[in-house]
C-alpha cells in the first residue's frame, strides 16, 4: 500500500493519480506495484470501463526514481514491479487514457505508447534519456517508436535523449491533443466518459485489433529490453550518470570505452 498513487472510481472510470510532488512524481518500486494493482483491478472489475492516468497540473512523472535505479532490479524483468506494470498495461483489455502535464520522463513517455489516448498540456515535456543515463530503451519503445514515427526520429529521441514539447509530440502523432494545462485532465476525463459509454465488447475487440499486428513481437522486445536494461543498470556508465544526477553535475563519459 502506498499513498503515492491515489485511485478513485467515478462513473465507471478508474482514475489513477501519481502523487509524489516533492520528488516530481518519480516512481518507486512500491508505486509501480500500486500502478500494476490498479490495472489489474480495472481488468477484473466489469464496473470499470476505462482507466485514466494522471499526475498533477505541473508534473506527470520524472520517471523511475533514480535512487531505486541505483539499487538495481531483482529477479526476471517480468517479475519486477516495473516489468509487471508494463506487461499489465500492454495487455489490459480496458481502454486507457492519459493526461500529461509538465515533465513525462523515461517511462513517463514510454508508458504512453501502450495507452489508447493521450491529452497533454502545453507545458508537457517528454523525454526518454535512457542512453544518456547509460541505460537502453524500455517498455517496448525500441519497437513501437521507430514503427510509428520512423527510424531516424526514434534514434534521435532515444540516442540523444533530448526533451520535446507537446507540439512536437502532436506533430509526431504521439498524443491526441494539446490543451491548456488547466484543461488537460478535463479533456482526458471527457474522453474516458465517452469510452465508458461505448459498447464494452466492441471497445475490447477494437483495442485487441489495434494491438494485434505487433503483439507477439512486443512481448519478446519488452523481455529483451528488460534483460539488457537490468545489465545496463549495473554498468559503470550508469553509475556515473546516477552519481552526477545526485551531485547535481554533468556526467563525464569521456574515459569510457
Ligand atoms: N528520481 C529521484 N528523485 C528525483 C527524480 C527522479 N527521477 N526526478 C527529480 N527528483 C528529485 C530531485 O532530485 C529534486 O530533489 P531535491 O529537492 O532533494 O534536490 C526534486 O525531485 C525536484 O526535482 P528538480 O530537478 O529540482 O525539478 P525540476 O523541475 O528542476 O526538473 C525534471 C524536473 C523532471 C526535469 C528533473 O528533475 C529531472 O530531469 N529528473 C530526472 C529524470 C530522469 O532522469 N528520470 C529517469 C528516466 S529513465
Amino acid at each position: 500500500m502506498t499513498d503515492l498513487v491515489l485511485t478513485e472510481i467515478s462513473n465507471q472510470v478508474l482514475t489513477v493519480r501519481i502523487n509524489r510532488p516533492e520528488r516530481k512524481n518519480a516512481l518507486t518500486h512500491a508505486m509501480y506495484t500500486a500502478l500494476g494493482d490498479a490495472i489489474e483491478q480495472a481488468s477484473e472489475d466489469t464496473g470499470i470501463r476505462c482507466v485514466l492516468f494522471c499526475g498533477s497540473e505541473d508534473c506527470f512523472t520524472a520517471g523511475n526514481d533514480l535512487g531505486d535505479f541505483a539499487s538495481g532490479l531483482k529477479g526476471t524483468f517480468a517479475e519486477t514491479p516495473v516489468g509487471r506494470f508494463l506487461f499489465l498495461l500492454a495487455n489490459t483489455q480496458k481502454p486507457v487514457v492519459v493526461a500529461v502535464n509538465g515533465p513525462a520522463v523515461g517511462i513517463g513517455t514510454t508508458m504512453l505508447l501502450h495507452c489508447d489516448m493521450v491529452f497533454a498540456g502545453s507545458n508537457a515535456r517528454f523525454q526518454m534519456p535512457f542512453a544518456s543515463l547509460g541505460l537502453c530503451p524500455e517498455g517496448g519503445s525500441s519497437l513501437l517508436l521507430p514503427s510509428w514515427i520512423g527510424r531516424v526520429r526514434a534514434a534521435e529521441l532515444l540516442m540523444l535523449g533530448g526533451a520535446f514539447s507537446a507540439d512536437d509530440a502532436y506533430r509526431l502523432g504521439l498524443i491526441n491533443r494539446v490543451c491548456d494545462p488547466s484543461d488537460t485532465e478535463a479533456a482526458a476525463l471527457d474522453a474516458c466518459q465517452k469510452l465508458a459509454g461505448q459498447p464494452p465488447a466492441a471497445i475490447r475487440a477494437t483495442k485487441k485489433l489495434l494491438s494485434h499486428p505487433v503483439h507477439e513481437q512486443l512481448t519478446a522486445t519488452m523481455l529483451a529490453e528488460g534483460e539488457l536494461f537490468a545489465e545496463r543498470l549495473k554498468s559503470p556508465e550508469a553509475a556515473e550518470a546516477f552519481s552526477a544526477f545526485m551531485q547535481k553535475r554533468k556526467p563525464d563519459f569521456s574515459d569510457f570505452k
Side-chain angles (χ1 to χ4, degrees):
M1 283 288 283
T2 171
D3 56 2
L4 304 180
V5 172
L6 306 173
T7 58
E8 186 196 342
I9 302 171
S10 174
N11 296 325
Q12 300 184 301
V13 175
L14 173 67
T15 298
V16 184
R17 185 179 301 282
I18 308 171
N19 178 44
R20 196 188 178 204
E22 71 288 356
R23 281 280 175 271
K24 296 282 166 184
N25 290 342
L27 298 165
T28 61
H29 299 314
M31 291 165 75
Y32 285 122
T33 300
L35 294 173
D37 290 348
I39 299 171
E40 240 172 22
Q41 180 190 359
S43 300
E44 285 162 12
D45 183 344
T46 51
I48 297 173
R49 294 239 180 141
C50 184
V51 180
L52 169 64
F53 281 107
C54 56
S56 59
E57 203 174 304
D58 64 353
C59 185
F60 182 56
T61 173
N64 206 103
D65 185 281
L66 288 168
D68 271 15
F69 257 169
S71 62
L73 290 174
K74 289 165 194 74
T76 66
F77 178 69
E79 291 164 354
T80 60
V82 60
R84 171 178 170 262
F85 162 64
L86 283 169
F87 278 104
L88 285 166
L89 181 63
N91 290 306
T92 183
Q93 295 188 326
K94 296 284 166 82
V96 180
V97 177
V98 193
V100 177
N101 278 328
V105 188
I107 194 168
T109 294
T110 57
M111 68 176 275
L112 306 177
L113 305 173
H114 302 282
C115 299
D116 301 298
M117 292 180 207
V118 182
F119 295 81
S122 51
N123 62 348
R125 301 286 291 165
F126 303 89
Q127 191 176 9
M128 292 171 286
F130 304 114
S132 315
L133 290 168
L135 304 172
C136 68
E138 45 81 303
S141 54
S142 64
L143 171 71
L144 299 176
L145 260 191
S147 60
W148 293 1
I149 69 173
R151 170 76 167 75
V152 293
R153 284 186 247 192
E156 182 177 351
L157 298 181
L158 289 168
M159 288 180 169
L160 298 183
F164 56 104
S165 67
D167 287 335
D168 292 335
Y170 182 76
R171 269 193 295 276
L172 290 168
L174 295 173
I175 64 170
N176 294 77
R177 197 178 308 155
V178 182
C179 309
D180 184 281
S182 59
D183 295 336
T184 315
E185 249 182 73
L189 193 56
D190 182 53
C192 288
Q193 268 148 10
K194 287 181 178 144
L195 283 163
Q198 290 284 72
I203 291 293
R204 284 197 294 278
T206 304
K207 178 157 176 145
K208 191 170 176 188
L209 288 167
L210 282 169
S211 317
H212 182 71
V214 292
H215 186 75
E216 274 177 36
Q217 217 185 336
L218 180 60
T219 304
T221 302
M222 284 168 68
L223 288 171
E225 287 173 344
E227 217 168 284
L228 193 53
F229 197 94
E231 270 174 41
R232 298 291 324 156
L233 277 175
K234 294 184 247 165
S235 68
E237 291 177 355
E240 163 59 10
F242 300 154
S243 23
F245 180 79
M246 300 304 170
Q247 294 160 15
K248 297 189 190 291
R249 63 171 173 82
K250 264 177 92 80
D252 176 5
F253 300 117
S254 55
D255 283 341
F256 289 99
K257 304 270 177 313

